[in-house]
Amino acid sequence: MSAALTTSPSPTEDTVLTPQLCTQGRERAQPVIDWLFAMRLQPSRISQLFEGFLRELDAVGIPVDRSTLHLPQLHPQLRARTVLWEDGEQAVVEIPRVHGIEHTEFFLKSPIKQVFDGGPAVRRRLGQPGCPLDFPITEELHGNGYRDYTVRPLPFSNGQVNGLTLSSKQDGGFSDCDIATVEATLPAFGLLLELRHAYVTAQTLMETYLGTRSGQRVLAGTIRRGHAERINAVLLTSDLRCFTELSESLTMEEVVDLLDEYFEIMGVAIVESGGEILKFIGDGILAIFPTGEAGEAATCSACEAAMQAARRALQGIHNKRLHRESLGLVPYRAGIALHLGDVLYGNIGAADRLDFTVIGPAVNLVSRIEALNQALHLPLVFSADFAASWKGAARSLGLHQLKGIADPQEVFTLADTAGLPGQD
């Protein structure tokens, strides 16, 4: 009898995971799985987990020379994140993917899209004659001497599908046992990855909607209603001038674009100066600059940081106003107020719907002072308490009776307002 003919798998055919092969893969993968479960309580970053995972695959003989991890993100600025590892490089590289990348040719022609859409694993045996270089990445890898490339789906329990790519320069690429071994490790790796990803997502959402300090406090367990602490802080409030008139002259979409532009200018100035935005209220902003430790130096530092944020924001709004006018778009102005005082900082609200914010007479006072901006034709005003602790030169604007405040309040602005942008 003639011997049975054997044929090589096609260049695009993935390994067929027979029961015998799965058993071999699980046995070979056991050290990697043991390492993964030992890592479950380690507070490592996703990039560190990924790098360690690849190191463990190498230890059991999987010939990986390049690997990427692709994770969709629930993030206001990012659509996805790619983590890249290449043999011989010092460290993994994290590559942010901004919103809109899913519509680009780069993504649409990527095998990652097929996996994200729920498709099966992708395999290209690049070392075989006739292997189609049907993706830009396979053409690139083939040109760089790679002999095998595969994308393995990594599903999460919430239905999100992620992608893991593995590439090898070894002659013959990955063996069937190599692929079976990798597949045996993926449930444990995916579980740890999902835990890390869930925490990162929670942290991102907390910081996005509550601010960095407040978000960290909530994640640390400060979630009980009425749980608040007394802190001393500089309060900054801001809103747009004549917002009602602006809203009536623009479409709703144009109003949203204008608000986003204005809030971006304010947000960058506040955060980069060390403050934290607590609330967006219509066209208004409430931010704090905690004095931190007690003492004059800490208070002066918080006051200077808030003043720096106010000046940077007003300059940015002025520059944007000139740009909008040059384009024939509706310009806008803003008013900012500063005050220094004690507030209660913590959870306030209904039993199952809380707000992490600040309350107290100081909050009411700064909002009333801010309302004077338009009447005084100045974009920046501040309280006597702020003026007393800030080391800069201030000019009194006299006593003013404020709504809801029993005693008249002295209000200040900069001593030299000649260079203050945004004046009427």
Side-chain angles (χ1 to χ4, degrees):
M1 296 177 64
S2 60
L5 297 177
T6 60
T7 59
S8 298
S10 72
T12 61
E13 183 181 344
D14 196 18
T15 295
V16 178
L17 296 176
T18 64
Q20 181 180 4
L21 196 55
C22 288
T23 299
Q24 294 174 355
R26 282 195 299 271
E27 291 175 353
R28 189 180 176 198
Q30 196 58 52
V32 184
I33 297 171
D34 291 343
W35 178 84
L36 287 167
F37 279 112
M39 286 292 291
R40 71 190 187 281
L41 299 180
Q42 300 297 319
S44 57
R45 294 166 55 89
I46 286 176
S47 58
Q48 293 172 321
L49 176 66
F50 179 50
E51 187 174 24
F53 172 63
L54 295 171
R55 185 175 60 248
E56 295 300 314
L57 288 180
D58 177 71
V60 298
I62 310 298
V64 181
D65 293 293
R66 181 185 186 274
S67 182
T68 57
L69 184 63
H70 302 265
L71 298 164
Q73 302 287 296
L74 187 57
H75 191 286
Q77 297 172 323
L78 303 181
R79 177 64 181 84
R81 190 183 303 275
T82 298
V83 187
L84 167 66
W85 175 89
E86 293 181 288
D87 186 34
E89 296 297 325
Q90 292 294 321
V92 297
V93 178
E94 293 194 24
I95 306 169
R97 308 294 191 184
V98 298
H99 287 286
I101 191 171
E102 67 271 23
H103 305 302
T104 65
E105 186 177 7
F106 170 82
F107 177 75
L108 295 175
K109 291 187 175 182
S110 167
I112 297 299
K113 180 183 184 304
Q114 295 186 14
V115 170
F116 278 5
D117 289 345
V122 175
R123 186 79 178 271
R124 295 294 181 267
R125 302 173 189 261
L126 302 173
Q128 288 192 15
C131 179
L133 305 179
D134 47 351
F135 302 107
I137 185 61
T138 54
E139 188 172 356
E140 177 186 336
L141 293 174
H142 182 266
N144 289 329
Y146 286 89
R147 314 296 288 173
D148 206 344
Y149 169 78
T150 183
V151 186
R152 320 306 295 187
L154 266 176
F156 282 173
S157 61
N158 63 356
Q160 174 177 312
V161 179
N162 312 281
L164 171 71
T165 78
L166 302 169
S167 307
S168 178
K169 291 183 176 181
Q170 178 168 288
D171 287 341
F174 299 114
S175 69
D176 287 344
C177 189
D178 289 337
I179 295 298
T181 302
V182 169
E183 284 293 321
T185 68
L186 292 187
F189 177 61
L191 178 61
L192 263 68
L193 184 64
E194 182 168 0
L195 290 173
R196 300 290 194 279
H197 188 265
Y199 181 81
V200 171
T201 299
Q203 187 175 39
T204 296
L205 293 176
M206 287 294 178
E207 292 180 358
T208 298
Y209 287 95
L210 297 180
T212 301
R213 290 189 187 90
S214 300
Q216 290 173 350
R217 292 169 69 87
V218 170
L219 282 176
T222 309
I223 59 172
R224 181 169 57 85
R225 183 173 64 160
H227 188 174
E229 64 173 312
R230 182 182 293 269
I231 66 169
N232 186 256
V234 177
L235 305 173
L236 181 152
T237 59
S238 171
D239 71 359
L240 288 173
R241 301 276 187 86
C242 305
F243 181 64
T244 301
E245 290 82 348
L246 282 172
S247 300
E248 291 177 350
S249 65
L250 301 171
T251 66
M252 288 187 289
E253 291 76 14
E254 288 172 331
V255 171
V256 170
D257 289 341
L258 186 151
L259 284 173
D260 284 344
E261 181 180 279
Y262 156 63
F263 287 145
E264 175 72 13
I265 294 170
M266 292 296 306
V268 169
I270 290 167
V271 173
E272 291 188 354
S273 298
E276 179 176 357
I277 296 174
L278 293 182
K279 282 181 176 294
F280 295 104
I281 311 168
D283 63 313
I285 290 175
L286 172 62
I288 60 170
F289 294 77
T291 61
E293 60 192 73
E296 182 180 356
T299 301
C300 290
S301 177
C303 288
E304 182 55 38
M307 180 59 75
Q308 180 185 51
R311 283 174 152 168
R312 288 182 61 185
L314 289 172
Q315 185 62 59
I317 290 170
H318 177 68
N319 294 342
K320 185 61 67 174
R321 176 190 178 192
L322 296 179
H323 178 67
R324 291 178 68 88
E325 287 177 337
S326 72
L327 298 177
L329 301 175
V330 177
Y332 57 87
R333 297 173 183 267
I336 296 176
L338 302 170
H339 175 49
L340 172 68
D342 290 339
V343 292
L344 281 180
Y345 176 52
N347 289 295
I348 299 161
D352 55 359
R353 179 60 177 88
L354 300 174
D355 191 11
F356 208 96
T357 187
V358 290
I359 63 167
V363 180
N364 186 43
L365 179 59
V366 73
S367 65
R368 300 307 184 193
I369 292 174
E370 194 276 325
L372 292 174
N373 276 290
Q374 189 164 358
L376 296 173
H377 305 288
L378 288 167
L380 176 62
V381 294
F382 44 90
S383 70
D385 290 326
F386 180 90
S389 295
W390 180 54
K391 294 303 182 183
R395 172 169 62 90
S396 175
L397 299 171
L399 293 171
H400 294 266
Q401 187 67 56
L402 304 176
K403 182 179 179 181
I405 308 296
D407 299 324
Q409 300 292 314
E410 188 174 14
V411 178
F412 292 78
T413 191
L414 301 180
D416 181 10
T417 58
L420 187 63
Q423 297 184 74
D424 292 339

